[in-house]
PDB file of all heavy atoms in Angstrom:
ATOM      1  N   LYS A  12     192.836 -27.597 -53.254  1.00 95.00           N
ATOM      2  CA  LYS A  12     192.037 -28.134 -54.364  1.00 95.00           C
ATOM      3  C   LYS A  12     192.930 -28.343 -55.593  1.00 95.00           C
ATOM      4  O   LYS A  12     192.683 -27.814 -56.663  1.00 95.00           O
ATOM      5  CB  LYS A  12     190.871 -27.203 -54.683  1.00 95.00           C
ATOM      6  CG  LYS A  12     189.857 -27.098 -53.563  1.00 95.00           C
ATOM      7  CD  LYS A  12     188.673 -26.209 -53.919  1.00 95.00           C
ATOM      8  CE  LYS A  12     187.665 -26.167 -52.782  1.00 95.00           C
ATOM      9  NZ  LYS A  12     186.508 -25.279 -53.079  1.00 95.00           N
ATOM     10  N   TRP A  13     193.941 -29.144 -55.394  1.00 96.00           N
ATOM     11  CA  TRP A  13     195.021 -29.222 -56.359  1.00 96.00           C
ATOM     12  C   TRP A  13     194.595 -29.801 -57.701  1.00 96.00           C
ATOM     13  O   TRP A  13     193.967 -30.859 -57.778  1.00 96.00           O
ATOM     14  CB  TRP A  13     196.174 -30.048 -55.799  1.00 96.00           C
ATOM     15  CG  TRP A  13     197.346 -30.102 -56.732  1.00 96.00           C
ATOM     16  CD1 TRP A  13     197.847 -31.187 -57.366  1.00 96.00           C
ATOM     17  CD2 TRP A  13     198.134 -28.995 -57.156  1.00 96.00           C
ATOM     18  NE1 TRP A  13     198.900 -30.844 -58.156  1.00 96.00           N
ATOM     19  CE2 TRP A  13     199.102 -29.489 -58.047  1.00 96.00           C
ATOM     20  CE3 TRP A  13     198.115 -27.630 -56.882  1.00 96.00           C
ATOM     21  CZ2 TRP A  13     200.050 -28.668 -58.657  1.00 96.00           C
ATOM     22  CZ3 TRP A  13     199.046 -26.809 -57.483  1.00 96.00           C
ATOM     23  CH2 TRP A  13     200.002 -27.329 -58.353  1.00 96.00           C
ATOM     24  N   VAL A  14     194.967 -29.092 -58.757  1.00 95.00           N
ATOM     25  CA  VAL A  14     194.825 -29.573 -60.131  1.00 95.00           C
ATOM     26  C   VAL A  14     196.233 -29.659 -60.703  1.00 95.00           C
ATOM     27  O   VAL A  14     196.920 -28.643 -60.814  1.00 95.00           O
ATOM     28  CB  VAL A  14     193.969 -28.633 -60.983  1.00 95.00           C
ATOM     29  CG1 VAL A  14     193.911 -29.145 -62.425  1.00 95.00           C
ATOM     30  CG2 VAL A  14     192.571 -28.497 -60.399  1.00 95.00           C
ATOM     31  N   PRO A  15     196.717 -30.864 -61.042  1.00 95.00           N
ATOM     32  CA  PRO A  15     198.083 -30.976 -61.550  1.00 95.00           C
ATOM     33  C   PRO A  15     198.320 -30.069 -62.752  1.00 95.00           C
ATOM     34  O   PRO A  15     197.463 -29.935 -63.628  1.00 95.00           O
ATOM     35  CB  PRO A  15     198.194 -32.456 -61.933  1.00 95.00           C
ATOM     36  CG  PRO A  15     197.176 -33.142 -61.083  1.00 95.00           C
ATOM     37  CD  PRO A  15     196.047 -32.169 -60.948  1.00 95.00           C
ATOM     38  N   VAL A  16     199.481 -29.460 -62.770  1.00 96.00           N
ATOM     39  CA  VAL A  16     199.878 -28.615 -63.899  1.00 96.00           C
ATOM     40  C   VAL A  16     200.595 -29.456 -64.950  1.00 96.00           C
ATOM     41  O   VAL A  16     200.359 -29.315 -66.147  1.00 96.00           O
ATOM     42  CB  VAL A  16     200.783 -27.460 -63.419  1.00 96.00           C
ATOM     43  CG1 VAL A  16     201.255 -26.613 -64.599  1.00 96.00           C
ATOM     44  CG2 VAL A  16     200.048 -26.596 -62.399  1.00 96.00           C
ATOM     45  N   GLN A  17     201.442 -30.352 -64.498  1.00 96.00           N
ATOM     46  CA  GLN A  17     202.194 -31.203 -65.401  1.00 96.00           C
ATOM     47  C   GLN A  17     201.284 -32.279 -66.010  1.00 96.00           C
ATOM     48  O   GLN A  17     200.612 -33.022 -65.290  1.00 96.00           O
ATOM     49  CB  GLN A  17     203.342 -31.894 -64.659  1.00 96.00           C
ATOM     50  CG  GLN A  17     204.136 -32.878 -65.490  1.00 96.00           C
ATOM     51  CD  GLN A  17     204.898 -32.203 -66.610  1.00 96.00           C
ATOM     52  OE1 GLN A  17     205.628 -31.253 -66.387  1.00 96.00           O
ATOM     53  NE2 GLN A  17     204.734 -32.695 -67.828  1.00 96.00           N
ATOM     54  N   VAL A  18     201.270 -32.349 -67.311  1.00 94.00           N
ATOM     55  CA  VAL A  18     200.538 -33.397 -68.004  1.00 94.00           C
ATOM     56  C   VAL A  18     201.376 -34.678 -67.944  1.00 94.00           C
ATOM     57  O   VAL A  18     202.575 -34.644 -68.240  1.00 94.00           O
ATOM     58  CB  VAL A  18     200.260 -33.009 -69.470  1.00 94.00           C
ATOM     59  CG1 VAL A  18     199.593 -34.163 -70.222  1.00 94.00           C
ATOM     60  CG2 VAL A  18     199.392 -31.752 -69.524  1.00 94.00           C
ATOM     61  N   PRO A  19     200.791 -35.818 -67.554  1.00 92.00           N
ATOM     62  CA  PRO A  19     201.574 -37.054 -67.471  1.00 92.00           C
ATOM     63  C   PRO A  19     202.224 -37.408 -68.801  1.00 92.00           C
ATOM     64  O   PRO A  19     201.705 -37.100 -69.871  1.00 92.00           O
ATOM     65  CB  PRO A  19     200.527 -38.097 -67.074  1.00 92.00           C
ATOM     66  CG  PRO A  19     199.452 -37.311 -66.392  1.00 92.00           C
ATOM     67  CD  PRO A  19     199.396 -36.003 -67.113  1.00 92.00           C
ATOM     68  N   TYR A  20     203.366 -38.058 -68.723  1.00 89.00           N
ATOM     69  CA  TYR A  20     204.120 -38.410 -69.925  1.00 89.00           C
ATOM     70  C   TYR A  20     203.517 -39.598 -70.657  1.00 89.00           C
ATOM     71  O   TYR A  20     203.818 -39.826 -71.823  1.00 89.00           O
ATOM     72  CB  TYR A  20     205.568 -38.725 -69.555  1.00 89.00           C
ATOM     73  CG  TYR A  20     206.400 -37.508 -69.226  1.00 89.00           C
ATOM     74  CD1 TYR A  20     205.849 -36.234 -69.146  1.00 89.00           C
ATOM     75  CD2 TYR A  20     207.769 -37.639 -68.990  1.00 89.00           C
ATOM     76  CE1 TYR A  20     206.611 -35.135 -68.835  1.00 89.00           C
ATOM     77  CE2 TYR A  20     208.551 -36.538 -68.686  1.00 89.00           C
ATOM     78  CZ  TYR A  20     207.963 -35.287 -68.606  1.00 89.00           C
ATOM     79  OH  TYR A  20     208.734 -34.195 -68.306  1.00 89.00           O
ATOM     80  N   THR A  21     202.728 -40.385 -69.942  1.00 84.00           N
ATOM     81  CA  THR A  21     202.061 -41.523 -70.571  1.00 84.00           C
ATOM     82  C   THR A  21     200.566 -41.394 -70.331  1.00 84.00           C
ATOM     83  O   THR A  21     200.124 -40.805 -69.334  1.00 84.00           O
ATOM     84  CB  THR A  21     202.554 -42.859 -69.994  1.00 84.00           C
ATOM     85  OG1 THR A  21     202.318 -42.886 -68.587  1.00 84.00           O
ATOM     86  CG2 THR A  21     204.038 -43.058 -70.271  1.00 84.00           C
ATOM     87  N   LYS A  22     199.794 -41.938 -71.217  1.00 79.00           N
ATOM     88  CA  LYS A  22     198.341 -41.855 -71.088  1.00 79.00           C
ATOM     89  C   LYS A  22     197.897 -42.612 -69.848  1.00 79.00           C
ATOM     90  O   LYS A  22     198.250 -43.766 -69.642  1.00 79.00           O
ATOM     91  CB  LYS A  22     197.660 -42.435 -72.329  1.00 79.00           C
ATOM     92  CG  LYS A  22     196.141 -42.263 -72.314  1.00 79.00           C
ATOM     93  CD  LYS A  22     195.525 -42.778 -73.611  1.00 79.00           C
ATOM     94  CE  LYS A  22     194.014 -42.590 -73.593  1.00 79.00           C
ATOM     95  NZ  LYS A  22     193.390 -43.093 -74.844  1.00 79.00           N
ATOM     96  N   GLN A  23     197.119 -41.946 -69.023  1.00 75.00           N
ATOM     97  CA  GLN A  23     196.670 -42.547 -67.771  1.00 75.00           C
ATOM     98  C   GLN A  23     195.330 -43.269 -67.970  1.00 75.00           C
ATOM     99  O   GLN A  23     194.403 -42.710 -68.572  1.00 75.00           O
ATOM    100  CB  GLN A  23     196.502 -41.471 -66.708  1.00 75.00           C
ATOM    101  CG  GLN A  23     197.783 -40.703 -66.416  1.00 75.00           C
ATOM    102  CD  GLN A  23     198.823 -41.577 -65.751  1.00 75.00           C
ATOM    103  OE1 GLN A  23     198.645 -42.035 -64.631  1.00 75.00           O
ATOM    104  NE2 GLN A  23     199.913 -41.828 -66.457  1.00 75.00           N
ATOM    105  N   PRO A  24     195.224 -44.496 -67.480  1.00 70.00           N
ATOM    106  CA  PRO A  24     193.935 -45.190 -67.558  1.00 70.00           C
ATOM    107  C   PRO A  24     192.864 -44.417 -66.790  1.00 70.00           C
ATOM    108  O   PRO A  24     193.156 -43.731 -65.812  1.00 70.00           O
ATOM    109  CB  PRO A  24     194.223 -46.544 -66.888  1.00 70.00           C
ATOM    110  CG  PRO A  24     195.717 -46.677 -66.905  1.00 70.00           C
ATOM    111  CD  PRO A  24     196.254 -45.301 -66.822  1.00 70.00           C
ATOM    112  N   ALA A  25     191.637 -44.549 -67.245  1.00 70.00           N
ATOM    113  CA  ALA A  25     190.536 -43.876 -66.556  1.00 70.00           C
ATOM    114  C   ALA A  25     190.411 -44.433 -65.142  1.00 70.00           C
ATOM    115  O   ALA A  25     190.503 -45.646 -64.920  1.00 70.00           O
ATOM    116  CB  ALA A  25     189.242 -44.068 -67.325  1.00 70.00           C
ATOM    117  N   LEU A  26     190.208 -43.544 -64.200  1.00 73.00           N
ATOM    118  CA  LEU A  26     190.070 -43.967 -62.809  1.00 73.00           C
ATOM    119  C   LEU A  26     188.690 -44.567 -62.564  1.00 73.00           C
ATOM    120  O   LEU A  26     187.691 -44.049 -63.038  1.00 73.00           O
ATOM    121  CB  LEU A  26     190.266 -42.777 -61.873  1.00 73.00           C
ATOM    122  CG  LEU A  26     191.692 -42.266 -61.693  1.00 73.00           C
ATOM    123  CD1 LEU A  26     191.677 -40.966 -60.919  1.00 73.00           C
ATOM    124  CD2 LEU A  26     192.553 -43.293 -60.984  1.00 73.00           C
ATOM    125  N   GLY A  27     188.683 -45.641 -61.801  1.00 71.00           N
ATOM    126  CA  GLY A  27     187.420 -46.176 -61.358  1.00 71.00           C
ATOM    127  C   GLY A  27     186.922 -45.415 -60.135  1.00 71.00           C
ATOM    128  O   GLY A  27     187.655 -44.628 -59.534  1.00 71.00           O
ATOM    129  N   SER A  28     185.694 -45.640 -59.769  1.00 74.00           N
ATOM    130  CA  SER A  28     185.123 -44.958 -58.612  1.00 74.00           C
ATOM    131  C   SER A  28     185.146 -45.885 -57.410  1.00 74.00           C
ATOM    132  O   SER A  28     184.727 -47.048 -57.497  1.00 74.00           O
ATOM    133  CB  SER A  28     183.685 -44.524 -58.897  1.00 74.00           C
ATOM    134  OG  SER A  28     183.102 -43.958 -57.747  1.00 74.00           O
ATOM    135  N   ALA A  29     185.626 -45.367 -56.296  1.00 71.00           N
ATOM    136  CA  ALA A  29     185.714 -46.186 -55.082  1.00 71.00           C
ATOM    137  C   ALA A  29     184.758 -45.709 -54.007  1.00 71.00           C
ATOM    138  O   ALA A  29     184.966 -45.958 -52.836  1.00 71.00           O
ATOM    139  CB  ALA A  29     187.152 -46.164 -54.566  1.00 71.00           C
ATOM    140  N   GLY A  30     183.757 -45.003 -54.407  1.00 87.00           N
ATOM    141  CA  GLY A  30     182.808 -44.527 -53.418  1.00 87.00           C
ATOM    142  C   GLY A  30     183.298 -43.285 -52.707  1.00 87.00           C
ATOM    143  O   GLY A  30     184.015 -42.465 -53.276  1.00 87.00           O
ATOM    144  N   THR A  31     182.951 -43.167 -51.453  1.00 94.00           N
ATOM    145  CA  THR A  31     183.247 -41.953 -50.690  1.00 94.00           C
ATOM    146  C   THR A  31     184.214 -42.256 -49.558  1.00 94.00           C
ATOM    147  O   THR A  31     184.059 -43.234 -48.832  1.00 94.00           O
ATOM    148  CB  THR A  31     181.944 -41.365 -50.109  1.00 94.00           C
ATOM    149  OG1 THR A  31     181.049 -41.065 -51.180  1.00 94.00           O
ATOM    150  CG2 THR A  31     182.241 -40.087 -49.327  1.00 94.00           C
ATOM    151  N   LEU A  32     185.206 -41.388 -49.441  1.00 96.00           N
ATOM    152  CA  LEU A  32     186.162 -41.503 -48.344  1.00 96.00           C
ATOM    153  C   LEU A  32     185.697 -40.586 -47.219  1.00 96.00           C
ATOM    154  O   LEU A  32     185.647 -39.369 -47.367  1.00 96.00           O
ATOM    155  CB  LEU A  32     187.568 -41.107 -48.807  1.00 96.00           C
ATOM    156  CG  LEU A  32     188.702 -41.409 -47.830  1.00 96.00           C
ATOM    157  CD1 LEU A  32     188.878 -42.920 -47.666  1.00 96.00           C
ATOM    158  CD2 LEU A  32     190.006 -40.775 -48.295  1.00 96.00           C
ATOM    159  N   LYS A  33     185.356 -41.195 -46.092  1.00 96.00           N
ATOM    160  CA  LYS A  33     184.752 -40.428 -45.007  1.00 96.00           C
ATOM    161  C   LYS A  33     185.763 -39.962 -43.962  1.00 96.00           C
ATOM    162  O   LYS A  33     185.546 -38.958 -43.286  1.00 96.00           O
ATOM    163  CB  LYS A  33     183.660 -41.260 -44.331  1.00 96.00           C
ATOM    164  CG  LYS A  33     182.487 -41.592 -45.256  1.00 96.00           C
ATOM    165  CD  LYS A  33     181.416 -42.374 -44.518  1.00 96.00           C
ATOM    166  CE  LYS A  33     180.234 -42.659 -45.437  1.00 96.00           C
ATOM    167  NZ  LYS A  33     179.157 -43.428 -44.743  1.00 96.00           N
ATOM    168  N   SER A  34     186.884 -40.697 -43.837  1.00 97.00           N
ATOM    169  CA  SER A  34     187.827 -40.326 -42.786  1.00 97.00           C
ATOM    170  C   SER A  34     189.204 -40.915 -43.046  1.00 97.00           C
ATOM    171  O   SER A  34     189.360 -41.846 -43.839  1.00 97.00           O
ATOM    172  CB  SER A  34     187.320 -40.801 -41.418  1.00 97.00           C
ATOM    173  OG  SER A  34     187.274 -42.221 -41.366  1.00 97.00           O
ATOM    174  N   LEU A  35     190.172 -40.360 -42.356  1.00 98.00           N
ATOM    175  CA  LEU A  35     191.524 -40.914 -42.277  1.00 98.00           C
ATOM    176  C   LEU A  35     191.809 -41.101 -40.799  1.00 98.00           C
ATOM    177  O   LEU A  35     191.833 -40.138 -40.026  1.00 98.00           O
ATOM    178  CB  LEU A  35     192.551 -39.966 -42.900  1.00 98.00           C
ATOM    179  CG  LEU A  35     194.030 -40.318 -42.660  1.00 98.00           C
ATOM    180  CD1 LEU A  35     194.382 -41.655 -43.326  1.00 98.00           C
ATOM    181  CD2 LEU A  35     194.952 -39.209 -43.178  1.00 98.00           C
TER     182      LEU A  35
END
């Protein structure tokens, strides 16, 4: 359940939603 520790060096655009990933 990874939460990045390093804060990005540049401001990251807000992520859009792509629905649900059901499988690989």
Side-chain angles (χ1 to χ4, degrees):
K12 295 182 178 179
W13 183 245
V14 177
V16 177
Q17 176 66 52
V18 175
Y20 285 6
T21 59
K22 185 176 181 180
Q23 301 292 294
L26 286 171
S28 176
T31 301
L32 190 67
K33 296 182 178 180
S34 65
L35 170 64

